[in-house]
Every structure is written in C-alpha cells, then in structure tokens.
Amino acid sequence: MGDLLKDHMFASHAIAVGSAVAVATSLTHPLDTLKTLVQVGAGPKYQLGLSQVVERVKSVSGISGLYSGLGWSTIARVSGIGARFGIYEVLSAFYKDGREDNYVYVSEALLAGIAAGAVESIACTPFELLKLRKQVSVSRLKAATSGNVMQESTPLISRLLPGYTPDMKAWSNTVGLLSTLSPKSPNMVGKLEQYPWTLTGSGRPPLASDVKRPSSIISLEGWSALWRGLRPGVARDCVFGGVFFSTWQFIHIAMLNWKAIDIKPPPRSIEEVGPVSPLASSLAAGFSGTVAAAASHSFDTAKSRSQCIVIPKYITMERKLLRWKPPGIWLERVTGMSPADRNLMFRGIWLRMARNGIASFALVGCYFFAVDHLL
C-alpha cells in the first residue's frame, strides 16, 4: 500500500511539473521568438527594432509564426527544468543533511544553482538549436520565381549586371553538373531548397532557415552541431541558475522572518513558522527569474547568434586540423562569445526578462495549483 501511495504521489508530481512547464512555455513562447529574432537580426551597422520584427513576422508567416518551434521549446524546457530542479534538490538535500533547521543558506543556493545550470545546458542545448532554426525561418521572405532564385544564387552577376536573368538552358546544365537534381524537375525552386550549396552559390554557406530539420543539420554540419553554442549556454545557465536560486532563497527566508514577527510566542526555528503562501512563492520566483535573466542575457545573445550560423562539417574538420584559435579576449574564448558582437550583447534583454519572469511565475503557480488538486 505504501509503495502504491508513493507511486501515486510521484506520478502526481510528475504530471504537475509537466503541466506547469507546458503552460509556462506556451504562454511565453511568442516573447521568446521575438527575443530571438531581435538578437539574430542585429548587425554592426543595422539593428532591427521590435516593431520591425513584429511587422516582418506578420507579413511573412502571420501571427501564428510567433509559435514556430513551440514543440522543440517545450521539450527543451521539460528536460532543462527537470535537470535544473532535480540537481538543485539533490545538492540542497546534501547541504541540509544533519542540520536542525531544514533550509539552505543563500551562498549554498548559489553554488547549487550554478551546478544545476551546467547540467541544464547540456540537457537542453540540442532542442534549443532546433527551436531557434525554426524561429528564424518565420521572418525570411521566400523567393517567388525561379528567376529570383537564380539571381540570389549568382550574387556577383546580379551586382555586375543589374536585371540580368541567366539563360534557363545554361542554368539547367549547371544544376545537372553540380547536383544529382534532374534539370527537368517540375518544382525546381522546391528541389533546390534541399541543395543549399547549389541554391546559395559557390563559397557561401546556406542560411540557418534553410537548415532547420534534424536530418539536414546532421548531414550538413554533423552530430556535433546539435551542441553548438554549448559554451555560452553553460555560462548562461550557470549564471541564471545561481542568481535564480540564491535570489529566491533570500526572498523566501525574508518572507519567513517577516511572517515570524506576528507569531506569539516567537518560533524556535524556521520550520515552526510554516510555509509561505503559493502566491507569495510564485511572485518570488517571478522576480528571481527576471533578475537572473538580466544577469545572464549577454551569454544568451552569444548562444543565439552562434546557433544561427551554419558551419559545414569540412570547415569544422579544417579548424581542428589547423588548431584554429577563436578570436577575442580569454573570457570571450572561454564562453564562446564573438568579439564582433560586443555591442549587441544586450539586444532583446527586456523581452527575455519579461519572458523568464512570467514563465517562472506561471511555472511555480501552476505547479502549486496542480499539486493542490491532484493530491
């Protein structure tokens, strides 16, 4: 009977956590899409504003485009949240072992959050890459005719001879020589999208929006590409986890001390104060998520921009053979940040702060609501 009850409680908590993550992800995914497009759409001389991003998404894919990549985002959040809170609970239980008071100090919460963030980044990086590739495709304007495709694939000719359209026969012969695609294919534009090197021309890698399926990423970039952006991701999640849990623990202890003031006689330990209300805990989690997002946003921008770059397998192999050293200072090399993006690190910070604050509030609130009704 005891084992059955334990299984029932475990299943109830698992359902509560899964439901809370799904609700929080669905609620905040449009903010995440806008944040990603603002980050990857910025350049040294030109930066897209939020209104420009919204109008572009509406004109290309409609409002539904804001939910592109929601499935991959949900999987990433489930695996990431599970790793984050699972590792944190294990480490906090180790810290509390043998103590009279059943709580951890703020410094211990900081260290446990850093360790939990590292594991979280490893667990969710592949799914975040697939999510980002889906998100960037919603704002790309598609070419309407084969003439436009040919001009895009021959940028040098288009610059030297404006308005010139290559001969269809010569184009078909070129396609027949450079690929296995039949020159008599009725859907030349659609077929060329499966051959990004032919579509974009010699020496130019394809866009991230052209390489968004798992099979395309693995065939062109290799299995290691699924963990691209791992270094800035680890730095981001370590900072986020440490700041999130330490801030939340600090606010939690402050609320317990405030609650203990009105208790007569004064409690001898924190355990005698009792738990805080679910609303107060949710608000504390939302505020902690906002602060943690602000502290770790520069690494999030570095990760988004690195995952948006397509690097074929042979280029990766050449860099390994030549022992290519990434540019930048030691901090940029360790965390995977590009020195060319130094002025772009805080792009979309308000969107990410809002997204993580709302997501943390909804996650904790939905979890308490689900547990209250299931148990």
Side-chain angles (χ1 to χ4, degrees):
M1 184 64 183
D3 294 338
L4 181 61
L5 182 60
K6 290 181 180 180
D7 293 340
H8 175 69
M9 292 183 62
F10 176 80
S12 300
H13 281 282
I15 294 173
V17 171
S19 302
V21 171
V23 171
T25 304
S26 301
L27 187 65
T28 59
H29 189 75
L31 291 176
D32 183 70
T33 301
L34 293 175
K35 182 267 302 180
T36 300
L37 295 177
V38 168
Q39 287 174 327
V40 302
K45 297 182 180 180
Y46 180 74
Q47 299 180 6
L48 289 175
L50 179 60
S51 59
Q52 294 174 304
V53 171
V54 173
E55 290 299 326
R56 188 174 180 85
V57 172
K58 288 173 61 178
S59 62
V60 175
S61 56
I63 297 299
S64 61
L66 295 176
Y67 286 91
S68 180
L70 178 60
W72 292 118
S73 180
T74 303
I75 298 175
R77 295 293 292 174
V78 169
S79 60
I81 292 295
R84 183 200 305 176
F85 283 91
I87 298 298
Y88 178 80
E89 289 297 328
V90 171
L91 294 177
S92 61
F94 173 77
Y95 289 136
K96 292 184 292 185
D97 187 28
R99 291 180 180 172
E100 182 179 356
D101 294 328
N102 189 26
Y103 73 97
V104 297
Y105 299 108
V106 175
S107 59
E108 295 171 340
L110 174 65
L111 295 177
I114 292 174
V119 179
E120 175 187 2
S121 181
I122 296 173
C124 66
T125 292
F127 307 110
E128 287 189 342
L129 182 136
L130 296 172
K131 176 207 69 172
L132 182 137
R133 295 290 177 89
K134 292 283 290 184
Q135 287 176 330
V136 298
S137 64
V138 302
S139 63
R140 183 192 172 194
L141 294 174
K142 301 293 185 180
T145 64
S146 59
N148 292 335
V149 173
M150 287 186 288
Q151 288 189 2
E152 288 181 4
S153 62
T154 55
L156 182 60
I157 295 178
S158 299
R159 287 197 295 267
L160 295 176
L161 301 174
Y164 173 75
T165 302
D167 181 67
M168 284 297 298
K169 184 177 180 180
W171 174 257
S172 299
N173 293 334
T174 302
V175 171
L177 290 173
L178 297 180
S179 73
T180 59
L181 178 65
S182 173
K184 297 182 180 180
S185 175
N187 185 18
M188 183 68 73
V189 176
K191 293 295 184 181
L192 280 175
E193 291 180 354
Q194 302 176 13
Y195 292 80
W197 286 110
T198 304
L199 178 65
T200 56
S202 175
R204 297 186 60 187
L207 298 175
S209 55
D210 292 327
V211 191
K212 57 186 177 181
R213 296 191 303 271
S215 58
S216 301
I217 295 173
I218 294 171
S219 63
L220 181 63
E221 303 177 74
W223 284 95
S224 61
L226 295 177
W227 277 270
R228 180 169 299 136
L230 181 61
R231 285 187 295 168
V234 169
R236 179 199 67 180
D237 291 334
C238 285
V239 174
F240 184 92
V243 175
F244 176 79
F245 285 111
S246 60
T247 305
W248 195 6
Q249 186 68 11
F250 176 80
I251 297 175
H252 182 71
I253 294 175
M255 290 189 295
L256 290 178
N257 291 330
W258 181 268
K259 184 179 179 181
I261 296 177
D262 298 329
I263 299 178
K264 301 298 181 181
R268 292 174 297 179
S269 64
I270 288 184
E271 290 185 351
E272 296 181 1
V273 178
V276 299
S277 66
L279 178 59
S281 184
S282 300
L283 291 173
F287 178 78
S288 302
T290 303
V291 174
S296 61
H297 183 73
S298 58
F299 301 110
D300 180 76
T301 302
K303 180 174 183 177
S304 297
R305 293 182 68 86
S306 64
Q307 289 182 331
C308 197
I309 299 174
V310 178
I311 303 178
K313 289 184 287 187
Y314 79 89
I315 295 181
T316 303
M317 185 179 300
E318 286 179 351
R319 289 180 176 180
K320 290 181 179 180
L321 293 175
L322 297 176
R323 297 180 180 179
W324 178 74
K325 185 179 180 180
I329 60 177
W330 70 270
L331 179 62
E332 292 172 334
R333 292 196 300 268
V334 170
T335 58
M337 303 172 70
S338 173
D341 297 337
R342 291 173 182 172
N343 298 328
L344 310 174
M345 289 292 100
F346 294 98
R347 294 289 298 168
I349 184 172
W350 299 111
L351 289 169
R352 185 163 180 263
M353 290 174 63
R355 183 247 181 183
N356 282 274
I358 296 173
S360 299
F361 173 81
L363 177 66
V364 177
C366 292
Y367 172 75
F368 281 123
F369 179 80
V371 168
D372 183 59
H373 284 73
L374 290 174
L375 298 179

